[in-house]
Amino acid sequence: MKFKQINGQNQRIERISPTQLVVGIDMAKEIHVAEATNFRGIVLAKRHLTFKNAIEGYEKLQRWMDELQQKHRLKTVIIGMEPTGHYWWNLANWLANKGLNVVMVNPATTKRNKENRDNSPSKSDPKDALVIADVVCRGYYYDYTRQANVFQRLRTVMSDREFWVTHSVRLQNRIIRWLDIRFPEYTSVFKDWTCPRSLATLKEFPSPLDLKSRSVSEVITGWREHMQRAGGSTGMEKAAQLIAQAKKSVGDTTALSEAKQDLERLLEEYERIVETLEKMEQELLALLGEIPMAKQLRSVKGLGTIFIAAILSGAGDLKQYAHGRQLLRKAGLNLAESMSGKRKGQIVLSKRGDAKLRKYMYLATITLVGTNPVFRQMHENNVQVKKMKKQQSIFKLLGKLARILIGIVQRGETFSPEKASAVFTDAA
């Protein structure tokens, strides 16, 4: 039995059997299109099938496949589709629950093979479905396997969290814009406008006009409505700085009443999202408690709850990976090189994988360089001794992180600085 590596996983290479019906499906929001061929790629149906993204449509597809199997005396069926967007999800699960063989085809593969049949760049739903069937016939697919329930729950919460984080960033940018226009000197007093004393100021004294006629004690009294320990030497110093900056502020005062209402709404929404994200982190913590390997990953100092949840939600069960290279490929962090004759192109990341997994593994590596002594030492060695560029060192360590994660999970161990150094030395 031969194997090939697709999306970071070892997949079996099996020849399509002469007794198999090959079905390619082009997915859409409302109407899907299916084409059917035999193992040689010869079209078996007189016309493509269109069916709705509903139970009636799914049953229509099953009847169509059953009829073709009986007509051409084919024993089994293999159904291929592209995992683009989210429209494929329900159909793939329905077919898998029926015990049918569902496989996934890389969209990049179908894009590059769409001219093989008719030598034309034309595009249509029936043609796309036929191209998918052709790709399956040649064996360029990987099996659709559903992760364990806890990993699916983890992925759902992380996907939800990504939405609220994005919304939070937009709100923060909007508030910063408000300050740039109304109180541009504000950031000279509060470098971080999200700290408790700053939030209390924005609620009680949002504009310079609210501050410049106040005394230090009045400002501190206003803060006490929204926070504890408002006074002290730090509070008095910050209050004095705010008043001084307000007196010489060049902030715009046009439509100030309406602007204050806008800021009030923005702050309310921001605090609500912060609370939502905190609840989500607790949910993630509880879910990670149900995954034994999460405890092993926690032994890597600096790898916190969010990073572990993001890696497991994107990669799934790490026990299915035999080597860190497979995890890198899953995230699209494997290297791609273009060479021809004497020409040697630049080596770049393939970026053919899970974008969120790629992002969090990169951010996790940067965090580890700052917080984990082992990673910090290796980064310094790469930059100072081996004369690597800092970014080059980060990607070198990213590969090391992938090997460590797979290694400790496969061996059932916790993170060991000595073994980590050995892994790095061996790979250098």
Side-chain angles (χ1 to χ4, degrees), residues 4 27 122 276 335-336 427:
K4 61 180 175 180
M27 312 302 297
S122 63
T276 298
L335 298 180

Side-chain angles (χ1 to χ4, degrees), residues 42 47 68 105 120 129 151 174 181 211 227 281 299 330 412:
I42 299 173
R47 190 177 185 279
L68 287 173
V105 174
S120 170
F151 289 102
R174 180 81 178 178
I181 295 172
L211 278 165
M227 63 178 293
E281 186 164 355
S299 65
K330 174 72 174 178

Side-chain angles (χ1 to χ4, degrees), residues 334-339 343-350:
N334 54 306
L335 298 180
E337 184 178 10
S338 177
M339 295 178 63
R343 183 186 66 82
K344 185 175 182 180
Q346 185 179 5
I347 299 175
V348 297
L349 295 178
S350 71

Side-chain angles (χ1 to χ4, degrees), residues 2 15 65 100 111 166 175 247 256 263 272 315 365 373 383 391:
K2 295 183 179 179
R15 292 183 179 275
M65 293 189 297
L100 298 173
K111 182 179 180 181
T166 302
I175 293 171
K247 288 180 178 178
L256 189 57
L263 179 62
R272 187 181 69 83
T365 304
V383 174
Q391 192 72 346

Side-chain angles (χ1 to χ4, degrees), residues 14 39 46 178 268 285 371 405:
E14 293 184 349
F39 76 109
K46 292 182 179 179
W178 193 99
E268 288 177 357
L285 198 59
T371 59
L405 296 180

Side-chain angles (χ1 to χ4, degrees), residues 40-69:
R40 297 184 185 275
I42 299 173
V43 179
L44 298 180
K46 292 182 179 179
R47 190 177 185 279
H48 63 270
L49 175 76
T50 60
F51 60 100
K52 293 182 179 180
N53 187 25
I55 186 63
E56 296 83 7
Y58 296 176
E59 291 172 346
K60 179 182 178 182
L61 170 68
Q62 188 172 32
R63 289 195 300 270
W64 181 72
M65 293 189 297
D66 290 343
E67 290 171 3
L68 287 173
Q69 281 186 262

